[in-house]
Amino acid sequence: MTATRMQAGDALVIVDVQNDFCPGGALPIAEGDRVVPVLNEWIESALAAGAPVYASRDWHPKGHISFKESGGPCPPHCVQDTEGAQFRSDLNLPDGTIKVTKGTRFDRDQNSAFDGTGLEHHLREHGIRHLYVCGLAQDVCVLATVLDARKLGFEVTVIPGATRAVTPEGGARASKQMREAGAL
Ligand SMILES: [Zn+2]
């Protein structure tokens, strides 16, 4: 899909394109960095359309409940204020990017950019109806974000080539679930 279709009422939602989720990071997703050039085109398109750009980030306190040291499934990743938690420096996030911070809770993890962040409120306040969603990982946080968006009644397009999965099987399953939920 060429990045030329955005219009009023659309928003670009970039999920967790952070160093730790890319090759060389603490919880790397194969080819996670390959989404960046595609997203940079979509950022241009959003800017041209005057559409807002949202960028979510996993932003864990030290010893977060999702970390192995605390009995969770993950190696420590995206610890607040570390290099690993930074957005990829080659991702051309514009001035005015709206950052959505999640994973800060002490009592449970938050995979969806909608989970306890108030994102729904912000989107509605700004008249957004259609989300173009992309980022990492397709079968974890992108999936959770897309399913929540559909439940809340937003139209959703998952940008082809702008997401990568933890595993190919997980990616296939996530694609199916997102399609069944009505995402394009
Ligand atoms: Zn996390």
Side-chain angles (χ1 to χ4, degrees):
M1 184 189 286
T2 51
T4 54
R5 296 177 17 180
M6 297 189 78
Q7 52 190 3
D10 293 347
L12 183 62
V13 178
I14 301 171
V15 176
D16 297 12
V17 179
Q18 294 165 273
N19 291 327
D20 271 346
F21 294 129
C22 291
L27 189 48
I29 293 150
E31 299 187 350
D33 54 328
R34 302 271 190 96
V35 304
V36 171
V38 183
L39 294 186
N40 283 338
E41 285 185 33
W42 279 83
I43 289 168
E44 287 298 318
S45 173
L47 288 172
V53 177
Y54 292 80
S56 74
R57 60 181 179 181
D58 224 12
W59 194 250
H60 295 314
K62 278 183 196 163
H64 185 249
I65 194 163
S66 72
F67 297 171
K68 284 189 174 126
E69 67 204 70
S70 307
C74 304
H77 63 280
C78 297
V79 174
Q80 293 169 6
D81 297 315
T82 61
E83 185 61 29
Q86 302 304 310
F87 293 114
R88 284 280 304 199
S89 59
D90 50 352
L91 183 65
N92 299 333
L93 289 175
D95 290 345
T97 296
I98 301 149
K99 291 171 185 137
V100 182
T101 299
K102 64 186 181 61
T104 56
R105 289 186 63 129
F106 298 112
D107 57 341
R108 61 175 177 81
D109 204 4
Q110 297 151 278
N111 285 340
S112 165
F114 286 94
D115 186 353
T117 61
L119 174 59
E120 177 195 6
H121 177 83
H122 198 275
L123 292 169
R124 296 207 194 281
E125 286 280 291
H126 291 82
I128 303 301
R129 295 177 303 276
H130 189 157
L131 310 181
Y132 286 85
V133 182
C134 48
L136 304 170
Q138 182 189 13
D139 45 351
V140 187
C141 292
V142 170
L143 174 65
T145 299
V146 166
L147 295 182
D148 275 352
R150 289 297 304 143
K151 262 183 229 153
L152 294 166
F154 293 98
E155 289 176 61
V156 177
T157 300
V158 182
I159 302 174
T163 181
R164 289 291 187 282
V166 176
T167 64
E169 305 75 47
R173 214 163 35 237
S175 287
K176 184 163 179 284
Q177 275 180 276
M178 293 191 282
R179 272 198 311 275
E180 284 171 0
L184 303 172

